[in-house]
Amino acid sequence: MAFELPPLPYAKDALAPAMSAETLEYHHGKHHNKYVTTLNDLIKGTEYESQSLEDIIRNTAGKPDKKKIFNNAAQHFNHDFFWKCMKPGGGGKPTGELARKIDESFGDYETFRKQFADEAGTHFASGWGWLVSDGSKLKVISTHDAENPLHMGLRPVITCDVWEHAYYIDYRNERPKFIDAFLDNLVNWDFAAQQL
Ligand code: FE
């Protein structure tokens, strides 16, 4: 079955000014959509056509001749996950079980926040910043290009897209300002808590 571009979980102008309607127009409507249509073209008539998105990612990871399928499948997953990681009026400190888990894994929220901002802010070139769970602890990692933690035995909890197309309209070259806005005004901790 062909994959479809999932609708955004909020109105296009709902995240402004931290993320503008214009950014979402291009990022969701053009970039994400292109990954979905390219993936559908690539898997048509292949064994992957009947597989779930997660299975396609795991089954093509690390195979040089399947790199195009992996890239587009992983980018579809990563963007779908990223939209859910944000909400209007989000950001700030998490509460409850997730807050306890962050304290246990990093010492305190401030240490986690600095580690995430540094990792995502200084990641070289295109990629993704992640808060992941290895089953017992939470960790901050970054991945290159379309790479995704699913096939690394890690469960994604939060991700932030640090490709230039994620922030250039709103922040130009100032990626760290975008990461600050993501952490302080956008991140959806309720969604993150459901991933534990
Ligand atoms: Fe993106």
Side-chain angles (χ1 to χ4, degrees):
M1 207 177 69
F3 291 100
E4 283 177 17
L5 180 69
L8 287 171
Y10 29 73
K12 231 174 270 172
D13 59 358
L15 302 183
M19 186 176 286
S20 67
E22 189 185 357
T23 286
L24 285 169
E25 179 92 41
Y26 277 86
H27 198 177
H28 175 261
K30 309 279 186 202
H31 290 277
H32 187 178
N33 189 55
K34 181 75 178 157
Y35 296 125
V36 175
T37 57
T38 304
L39 175 64
N40 285 332
D41 288 345
L42 289 169
I43 63 174
K44 205 174 166 87
T46 74
E47 64 191 289
Y48 302 107
E49 201 172 17
S50 57
Q51 295 181 11
S52 71
L53 187 59
E54 286 82 351
D55 281 345
I56 296 174
I57 291 168
R58 292 191 183 99
N59 293 336
T60 56
K63 295 181 180 163
D65 60 330
K66 303 286 185 251
K67 188 81 180 160
K68 275 189 191 168
I69 295 177
F70 173 83
N71 281 342
N72 285 280
Q75 283 295 76
H76 176 27
F77 177 94
N78 294 353
H79 283 89
D80 183 38
F81 198 82
F82 177 51
W83 309 133
K84 294 172 187 159
C85 285
M86 299 183 287
K87 67 170 185 181
K93 284 187 187 182
T95 55
E97 169 69 8
L98 181 59
R100 199 186 58 73
K101 202 90 184 148
I102 284 180
D103 288 349
E104 190 185 291
S105 303
F106 298 96
D108 54 31
Y109 171 78
E110 283 67 31
T111 307
F112 151 74
R113 194 198 176 290
K114 187 179 179 333
Q115 212 174 305
F116 190 95
D118 286 350
E119 184 73 30
T122 63
H123 177 84
F124 189 72
S126 297
W128 298 82
W130 302 87
L131 176 66
V132 295
S133 170
D134 68 4
S136 57
K137 273 192 167 234
L138 299 178
K139 293 198 287 194
V140 165
I141 64 166
S142 60
T143 60
H144 289 289
D145 302 325
E147 270 297 338
N148 139 322
L150 282 182
H151 70 93
M152 303 170 185
L154 298 167
R155 180 198 293 264
V157 177
I158 280 292
T159 194
C160 183
D161 189 340
V162 298
W163 286 55
E164 276 185 355
H165 65 223
Y167 59 86
Y168 216 79
I169 290 171
D170 297 323
Y171 300 91
R172 296 300 169 190
N173 58 317
E174 301 196 82
R175 190 199 288 175
K177 280 192 183 169
F178 162 59
I179 311 290
D180 284 344
F182 175 79
L183 288 167
D184 298 337
N185 305 110
L186 293 174
V187 65
N188 183 347
W189 290 122
D190 300 329
F191 173 73
Q194 292 162 16
Q195 312 311 311
L196 292 178

